[in-house]
Amino acid sequence: MHKLYEFCKDRGINTRVVESVIAVEFSLERKEFLEEYFRIGAAYEDVNPWGNKLKDRGEDTLVLEILVELYKKISRLEHRMIRQELDLVALESKSNILALGHGVLFLEDEILEVGSIYYLRFVLPSFSDRIIAIFAKALSANILQITKMQARDIQDFDSYIANTEMATIRVQKYLKGE
């Protein structure tokens, strides 16, 4: 078991934990970070609600799927350009996220001030073009509990955890010869 899982279990935080190595930047919370948090969230629009509305009306799904895929490709290019234009605030510290669970992160370095709120930015490996910005409270010198996260980012974060867990299970089954 990972230290993060044991830590969460001891404190009544029910979550699955997956190991990963994700570069993260962070600083103690400041007012200017809230503006950037909302700017980053607004920069990455989601096409799915638009596509789902058309599907609900019975529109041609093949044409719709092709349009959505084209939109996603254009959107990825646009996101890369946006990322360069976002003018992100410089953050004080860097580390790696070594494990994560639903609403919790485990950092490589033990440098957090317990009880303090931090602003963090990272990119999930499966969404290499999109910055995720969050606020989190330090529960220990290297464990954070997420306190503020965009709704779309929560979905993608939780999906990443579930997908990583499934991939780990498949590898374990393969290694056991099942």
Side-chain angles (χ1 to χ4, degrees), residues 40-176:
I40 290 172
Y44 300 107
E45 283 186 30
D46 192 6
V47 71
N48 289 337
W50 169 77
N52 290 337
K53 283 180 187 175
L54 289 175
K55 279 184 185 176
D56 292 343
R57 289 188 1 209
E59 300 295 330
D60 185 0
T61 49
L62 178 60
V63 172
L64 204 72
E65 287 177 25
I66 292 170
L67 286 173
V68 167
E69 288 305 313
L70 284 171
Y71 177 87
K72 285 179 181 178
K73 287 182 181 197
I74 292 168
S75 184
R76 276 194 289 273
L77 291 171
E78 182 183 45
H79 289 164
R80 288 193 178 139
M81 291 176 3
I82 288 171
R83 189 173 181 177
Q84 293 171 352
E85 296 171 5
L86 274 174
D87 192 28
L88 301 174
V89 177
L91 301 179
E92 298 164 4
S93 302
K94 292 182 181 184
S95 186
N96 288 307
I97 299 169
L98 296 183
L100 41 93
H102 302 284
V104 290
L105 307 169
F106 181 87
L107 299 186
E108 181 175 28
D109 304 306
E110 295 186 1
I111 56 176
L112 304 172
E113 296 174 26
V114 177
S116 295
I117 302 293
Y118 288 85
Y119 175 68
L120 301 90
R121 287 191 310 248
F122 57 91
V123 176
L124 287 176
S126 56
F127 300 93
S128 61
D129 62 337
R130 197 171 98 231
I131 298 168
I132 294 181
I134 64 170
F135 288 91
K137 181 178 182 177
L139 301 178
S140 78
N142 65 336
I143 296 175
L144 294 149
Q145 185 169 30
I146 298 170
T147 57
K148 183 184 281 292
M149 186 178 214
Q150 302 283 345
R152 179 175 176 207
D153 293 340
I154 292 169
Q155 282 183 319
D156 293 341
F157 187 80
D158 289 347
S159 291
Y160 175 77
I161 292 168
N163 292 338
T164 302
E165 186 176 42
M166 293 301 289
T168 302
I169 290 168
R170 281 192 295 274
V171 167
Q172 288 172 348
K173 281 184 177 183
Y174 175 78
L175 292 175
K176 287 181 182 178

Side-chain angles (χ1 to χ4, degrees), residues 11-71:
R11 285 157 183 77
I13 301 170
N14 295 317
T15 184
R16 296 185 310 255
V17 172
V18 296
E19 293 185 15
S20 191
V21 179
I22 302 169
V24 64
E25 296 178 289
F26 58 96
S27 287
L28 283 167
E29 179 183 39
R30 292 195 317 246
K31 271 187 178 181
E32 65 195 278
F33 296 147
L34 189 59
E35 180 187 333
E36 181 182 275
Y37 167 83
F38 286 117
R39 243 183 326 124
I40 290 172
Y44 300 107
E45 283 186 30
D46 192 6
V47 71
N48 289 337
W50 169 77
N52 290 337
K53 283 180 187 175
L54 289 175
K55 279 184 185 176
D56 292 343
R57 289 188 1 209
E59 300 295 330
D60 185 0
T61 49
L62 178 60
V63 172
L64 204 72
E65 287 177 25
I66 292 170
L67 286 173
V68 167
E69 288 305 313
L70 284 171
Y71 177 87

